[in-house]
Each structure stands twice: as C-alpha cells, then as structure tokens.
Amino acid sequence: KNQVEQSPQSLIILEGKNCTLQCNYTVSPFSNLRWYKQDTGRGPVSLTIMTFSENTKSNGRYTATLDADTKQSSLHITASQLSDSASYICVVSPLRGSQGNLIFGKGTKLSVKP
Amino acid sequence: SAVISQKPSRDICQRGTSLTIQCQVDSQVTMMFWYRQQPGQSLTLIATANQGSEATYESGFVIDKFPISRPNLTFSTLTVSNMSPEDSSIYLCSGGESGGYEQYFGPGTRLTVT
C-alpha cells in the first residue's frame, strides 16, 4: 500500500533556530515528491517539488533533500521565523494513476516561539 | 500561479441535508480536483472534475453521494448529499495544468454535520 509517514507529528522551536522534518514513503514507482506548507485555515502551498532524479531543492530558507534509494526525504528550515508556524506536508506523486491522486502525509505541525 | 477561492468557508448542516461547495479559479486551468481531509487524517482525493463531462471518482467515492459539476475551465462545484456526521471534514479543491507538477489549493470548506 502506498504510504507517506512524517515525523515528528509536532515540533516546537525557538525563533531563529533551525529544524529538520522527516518523510518516509513506500510509493513506488514515483514521479515526484513535494513539500507543502499549510497555514491554519488555508490550503497547502507548494514549497519544493523534486523529481525522482533530484537530490536537493531549495526555496529561500527551505531546503528539501531526497534519497530515492532509502525512500526518505527531509525538509530543513533555516533561521526560523514566527511565520514559519504551520503544518508541513510531504506529498508523493505515484508514477501511474491520475494526476490528482497524490499520496499525502499527515503533516508535521511546527510552532515557532519568540 | 493560480489563486483559488471556495465558498462557503465553513458551514454547520443537519443530517440528511445537502451542501454545495463552490470553487473559483482566477485563471483557466486544465485540471481541477476535489479532496477531503478528515480530522487528524491526510488529504484524500475524491474525484477529478472534468470540464463538460462526468467527474472521475476515486475508489470509495460515488457520484450519487458527491455529485460534481465543472461547466468551464475556472469553476467547479462539489455537492455533499444526504449528509451524516461522518461527512464532517474539510473539503478542498485544487487546480493545475495537465501533466504539470504545480497544483494550487483553495483554502478549504470546513463542514460540520450534526
């Protein structure tokens, strides 16, 4: 069964600190892996998209890595800000199936405190 | 990018009634999708809304329960019919281009069925 597991479920860090969120998946074969940020009461917004052949992708203070051999990805947030408080969702797109049939993780809820 | 809005943002409905959720995109998109996010769970694809034809439903979702319309490339509706408390969820629509990786999400409609 295609699954995406994220850890930790929740995380509290102080403003200015770095953190790393983890994603393990069983989806195979897959087309791409995405990280989304979802603020409370809003829809998910794309942070990074990596194809199966890419190892890393950055978007400002966000850096995602992908190890297709171990089926693991991570999202590293540098110099966190209060506005980084949100849920971060790892999403894997299977190679086959409809375009919208993405496999979503349950997300990591990040709280950044002053 | 595309900006997606949904109406209503939230509603409380009685068992046995129906609710229609509207999704509006600020630009034409080839693909539109409807998702459900049950409490504590990840997003699940309900169906792909096809312009001018019947929607394509995922396993476990049927047209009688979730009728979908898509009259043009910027608008779609999802109806949750004959509601029960188990239908209490957040319903999100999204849009993107066929074959593309980017997918834009609406803010969601929070539905509570009593």
Side-chain angles (χ1 to χ4, degrees):
Chain A
K1 181 181 177 182
N2 287 332
Q3 287 186 311
V4 174
E5 301 286 344
Q6 293 187 243
S7 62
Q9 278 190 320
S10 61
L11 181 62
I12 301 174
I13 61 173
L14 292 176
E15 185 179 13
K17 298 297 185 182
N18 304 335
C19 67
T20 300
L21 314 181
Q22 301 290 343
C23 172
N24 296 331
Y25 60 93
T26 61
V27 183
S28 182
F30 76 101
S31 168
N32 58 82
L33 184 146
R34 316 168 187 195
W35 283 92
Y36 284 87
K37 177 185 180 187
Q38 185 173 21
D39 293 308
T40 301
R42 296 182 176 271
V45 174
S46 177
L47 293 175
T48 63
I49 301 174
M50 292 180 289
T51 65
F52 63 90
S53 61
E54 294 180 289
N55 299 121
T56 186
K57 185 71 70 78
S58 291
N59 178 1
R61 294 180 296 104
Y62 301 102
T63 298
T65 64
L66 173 62
D67 186 335
D69 291 331
T70 62
K71 295 185 171 56
Q72 294 180 325
S73 177
S74 65
L75 180 69
H76 186 74
I77 304 175
T78 305
S80 60
Q81 299 175 358
L82 298 179
S83 58
D84 291 332
S85 295
S87 283
Y88 291 84
I89 305 172
C90 176
V91 183
V92 181
S93 175
L95 187 60
R96 301 182 188 91
S98 75
Q99 183 172 330
N101 198 7
L102 308 174
I103 312 300
F104 290 80
K106 291 185 180 181
T108 292
K109 186 170 184 177
L110 175 66
S111 296
V112 181
K113 303 294 186 183
Chain B
S1 65
V3 177
I4 299 182
S5 58
Q6 289 184 230
K7 289 182 185 178
S9 59
R10 59 176 63 220
D11 208 341
I12 301 173
C13 301
Q14 292 202 341
R15 180 196 300 260
T17 63
S18 298
L19 176 72
T20 295
I21 303 168
Q22 298 180 3
C23 177
Q24 180 74 54
V25 190
D26 70 343
S27 59
Q28 292 186 347
V29 290
T30 312
M31 311 292 290
M32 290 184 75
F33 309 97
W34 286 97
Y35 294 87
R36 181 173 73 181
Q37 186 174 25
Q38 294 182 302
Q41 301 300 313
S42 54
L43 277 77
T44 301
L45 179 66
I46 297 171
T48 301
N50 301 309
Q51 189 215 350
S53 65
E54 194 171 286
T56 304
Y57 290 85
E58 298 300 310
S59 175
F61 299 97
V62 295
I63 187 172
D64 289 346
K65 177 67 176 177
F66 298 102
I68 288 171
S69 79
R70 189 175 175 195
N72 56 51
L73 292 177
T74 63
F75 186 78
S76 178
T77 66
L78 168 75
T79 299
V80 186
S81 303
N82 188 24
M83 289 184 283
S84 66
E86 292 71 36
D87 295 320
S88 296
S89 286
I90 298 174
Y91 293 85
L92 296 98
C93 72
S94 74
E97 290 307 313
S98 177
Y101 293 157
E102 280 291 356
Q103 199 161 322
Y104 306 98
F105 287 83
T109 295
R110 183 180 292 272
L111 171 62
T112 303
V113 184
T114 60

